[in-house]
Amino acid sequence: MSTRENLLRQLLEINIFRLGEFTLKSGLLSPVYIDLRGIIAYPNIVKLLAEEIYSREKEANVTTDVVCGVPYTALPIASVYSILYQIPMVMKRKEAKDYGTKKMVEGVTQKGVRCLIIEDIVTSGSSVIETAEVLRKEGLIVTDCIVILDRQQGGEENVAKAGIKLHSLFNINELFTTYCSVNKVEQSLIESVTRFLKDNSYVPVKKSESLLKLPFEERAKTCNQPVAKVLFEIMASKKSNLCVAVDSLDSKTLLDLADQLGPHICMLKTHIDILKDFSNDVPIKLKELAQKHKFLIFEDRKFADIGNTVKNQYGSGIYKIQQWADIVTVHGIPGSGIIEALKSASQGEKRSCVLIAEMSSKGALTDESYMKKIAEMAENHQDYVMGFVSQHKVSENPNFIQMSPGVNIAVSGDSLGQQYRSPEDAVSDGADVIIVGRGICSASDVIAAAAEYKNRSFLAYMNSYSKC
């Protein structure tokens, strides 16, 4: 018998598994209940769990600087793990005290420290997501969680949406199978439990008052990425989460539209390399207009080459994008080296990038697996990555800004495969910022069109957090 199998049998011997009718934290009625709280009476089992977590961590190539046990059952496991492997521990409080330091997290909380979450049981994953939100607010990087038991009811999928990979020691099916092998269980009950597990393979995360559903000014207070923080503040002060894509072929049109639309937007998105008459005066004048109207310049360069090439594309050449663009778009295909290249080429300026997780054109090859990898990449570079371009929510991390392209009130698509939707639909799918191009720039009255998109998208965002 393997060490893992022996540990599972020891857990069953201390009656962690029960049959009956139980209400879970998710609100779901379940015929099975797993209670690991009793493990504190068995120090040897706690030690074995900590050792198995360490083995699973090495097997999955997870690296961590600190560890955090989700209150309360996982705390003794995390404590023993910390002592055994000399990994510092942080502790998340259930709620902040109204005296003393009033801190929500105790321990090493320096910005950029990688934190592994340890949890006892995952159903929907809500406790893991809530814990990650608090840790990330302190500047910790959270990308992985190791759980003792996965009930296989959607937790893995839900935490993945929050940019967290779930690693489990055991799952509910193997636990039930082992339980039945060592206990006499009627066949009708086995069939009933098996049917329940099959019929309830997904439990959604309950809505909670997370930072994702707070006003932009509140999200600005917890954001550490300098450009993202400025954007949150701009959106709050101007009451605008509208970005206009000005894909003009001549510089005069680009600058005229920037001046006209400036009061209504939080960002201006450019494709500087399509200008037929580019000169060094264009970015200078763009920066002046950005300062005048308080918007950020977003160059949709879509960098996608190896690090050294991207570094030169960003800082050199005729466009010298690094000197004037606050934000650039980046494909994650080359790997993390592309972000490191942009970071080094920023030369101390307040700059950021947005990762392209999904495109709005028909037949785009960006699938769910790719989006998950993009979310992980962003979590590992929170000091430079400020968010995503995507049609759907990529991450639950409130410090990331979700930008949704392909928004148009009047039409649903074009002859080249572009697909459109309304501002309300975009925000409903998780957008913080809507990106509008032809819907405004081709309108007979661009200012009136911008005002309509601005008002509808900002109202949709306000409604999204006021309903939570």
Side-chain angles (χ1 to χ4, degrees), residues 396-417:
E396 299 292 338
N397 187 335
N399 293 325
F400 289 134
I401 299 173
Q402 178 89 28
M403 304 178 189
S404 182
V407 176
N408 194 311
I409 295 170
V411 296
S412 60
D414 68 10
S415 61
L416 297 177

Side-chain angles (χ1 to χ4, degrees), residues 301-307 309-310 313 329-335 338:
R301 180 60 179 78
K302 296 185 175 72
F303 289 110
D305 215 316
I306 61 172
T309 300
V310 166
Q313 289 174 324
T329 46
V330 175
H331 282 297
I333 296 170
I338 193 170

Side-chain angles (χ1 to χ4, degrees), residues 144-344:
D144 295 88
C145 170
I146 298 181
V147 61
I148 305 302
L149 180 80
D150 179 6
R151 285 187 62 113
Q152 296 183 302
Q153 291 177 283
E156 183 175 4
E157 293 84 352
N158 290 332
V159 301
K161 292 176 183 176
I164 303 166
K165 184 171 180 58
L166 190 71
H167 312 271
S168 59
L169 302 189
F170 309 104
N171 65 58
I172 185 68
N173 283 297
E174 64 179 325
L175 178 64
F176 183 53
T177 299
T178 304
Y179 177 86
C180 292
S181 71
V182 296
N183 293 278
K184 188 175 182 180
V185 183
E186 293 183 4
Q187 185 61 33
S188 60
L189 185 53
I190 293 176
E191 292 173 358
S192 174
V193 172
T194 302
R195 186 166 53 251
F196 169 83
L197 295 176
K198 181 179 179 181
D199 293 343
N200 294 274
S201 59
Y202 181 75
V203 179
V205 178
K206 279 189 170 183
K207 291 286 185 179
S208 63
E209 292 187 18
S210 72
L211 293 174
L212 280 170
K213 296 300 181 181
L214 287 176
F216 291 128
E217 55 264 34
E218 293 300 316
R219 291 175 67 179
K221 293 177 184 177
T222 65
C223 183
N224 293 316
Q225 210 293 318
V227 181
K229 189 179 188 72
V230 170
L231 182 55
F232 278 131
E233 291 168 348
I234 289 173
M235 291 192 286
S237 64
K238 294 181 73 171
K239 291 182 168 51
S240 173
N241 54 341
L242 171 64
C243 171
V244 174
V246 182
D247 296 336
S248 173
L249 300 181
D250 68 274
S251 57
K252 184 179 186 306
T253 302
L254 169 62
L255 295 171
D256 285 348
L257 284 171
D259 199 15
Q260 293 177 71
L261 301 174
H264 302 281
I265 64 177
C266 62
M267 287 190 294
L268 183 83
K269 187 167 80 70
T270 61
H271 276 294
I272 204 68
D273 56 355
I274 68 174
L275 287 177
K276 294 180 178 180
D277 59 347
F278 173 82
S279 70
N280 292 332
D281 287 339
V282 175
I284 293 173
K285 291 176 180 177
L286 268 180
K287 287 180 69 175
E288 290 173 351
L289 290 171
Q291 187 173 11
K292 172 184 174 182
H293 296 299
K294 291 183 173 59
F295 63 78
L296 297 183
I297 303 173
F298 181 16
E299 166 58 18
D300 195 6
R301 180 60 179 78
K302 296 185 175 72
F303 289 110
D305 215 316
I306 61 172
N308 188 62
T309 300
V310 166
K311 185 176 180 179
N312 291 327
Q313 289 174 324
Y314 184 45
S316 304
I318 62 173
Y319 301 117
K320 296 180 175 59
I321 297 169
Q322 179 272 335
Q323 295 182 10
W324 53 271
D326 301 293
I327 308 158
V328 293
T329 46
V330 175
H331 282 297
I333 296 170
S336 295
I338 193 170
I339 300 174
E340 295 297 336
L342 290 170
K343 196 187 305 183
S344 65

Side-chain angles (χ1 to χ4, degrees), residues 14 36-46:
I14 62 173
L36 286 166
R37 288 172 293 187
I39 62 172
I40 57 174
Y42 303 90
N44 185 55
I45 289 180
V46 175

